[in-house]
Amino acid sequence: MSIKITEECINCGACESECPNQAIYEGGKMWSMSDGTSLKKRKEELKIDPTIPKDPRKQEIYFVVSEKCTECVGFYEEPQCAMICPVNCCILDKNHLESKEDLFKKKNFLHGE
Ligand code: SF4
Ligand code: SF4
């Protein structure tokens, strides 16, 4: 499952640097799959260009790119954003259910095995 950030976010920015996948972005910022991952190096083998900048998913508050969030699997025991957030607004996103095995696969996809 991915984490999502709720409207309670106070834009403190504490979570952004904690994410091992660079899956968290400030509201209004463009994002890409290659930010903070090894996908750029493997561009040739991928069907899509991971460096293409994508539109922000939120304008006013920080947001999580679910395609990049692994719940910190492969790096930490607990989601780091949820641990550090002072207002507890990083919660599980039930619209993006994934098993632990799938999260490991996602981590390997993002960073190489
Ligand atoms: S759970 Fe981990 S991987 Fe997902 S957004 Fe939070 S810090 Fe990033
Ligand atoms: S730590 Fe929490 S309040 Fe601060 S920017 Fe991240 S989600 Fe928002």
Side-chain angles (χ1 to χ4, degrees):
M1 212 172 329
S2 164
I3 293 283
K4 70 174 179 181
I5 294 173
T6 69
E7 299 298 318
E8 277 76 46
C9 173
I10 56 169
N11 288 318
C12 72
C15 55
E16 190 178 10
S17 59
E18 299 298 314
C19 181
N21 301 322
Q22 210 171 318
I24 301 174
Y25 292 82
E26 190 179 353
K29 291 270 170 70
M30 303 287 278
W31 62 274
S32 80
M33 290 299 290
S34 62
D35 293 339
T37 70
S38 70
L39 292 175
K40 190 175 176 181
K41 279 189 256 163
R42 292 183 282 131
K43 201 171 151 181
E44 303 301 311
E45 66 190 74
L46 299 168
K47 292 193 180 101
I48 47 134
D49 181 351
T51 65
I52 293 174
K54 311 261 187 147
D55 288 337
R57 296 203 169 158
K58 290 271 168 76
Q59 290 294 337
E60 310 296 334
I61 56 168
Y62 278 73
F63 60 93
V64 173
V65 174
S66 55
E67 297 94 314
K68 298 177 78 180
C69 174
T70 61
E71 280 182 53
C72 288
V73 163
F75 293 97
Y76 305 105
E77 292 298 317
E78 301 286 335
Q80 297 298 289
C81 52
M83 284 183 68
I84 202 161
C85 180
V87 293
N88 297 321
C89 70
C90 299
I91 62 168
L92 289 171
D93 182 355
K94 292 189 176 144
N95 289 325
H96 290 101
L97 293 170
E98 287 159 288
S99 66
K100 197 145 191 171
E101 193 185 355
D102 286 342
L103 291 168
F104 261 116
K105 281 189 198 153
K106 195 198 264 189
K107 183 256 177 194
N108 288 337
F109 168 71
L110 294 172
H111 300 281
E113 293 189 48

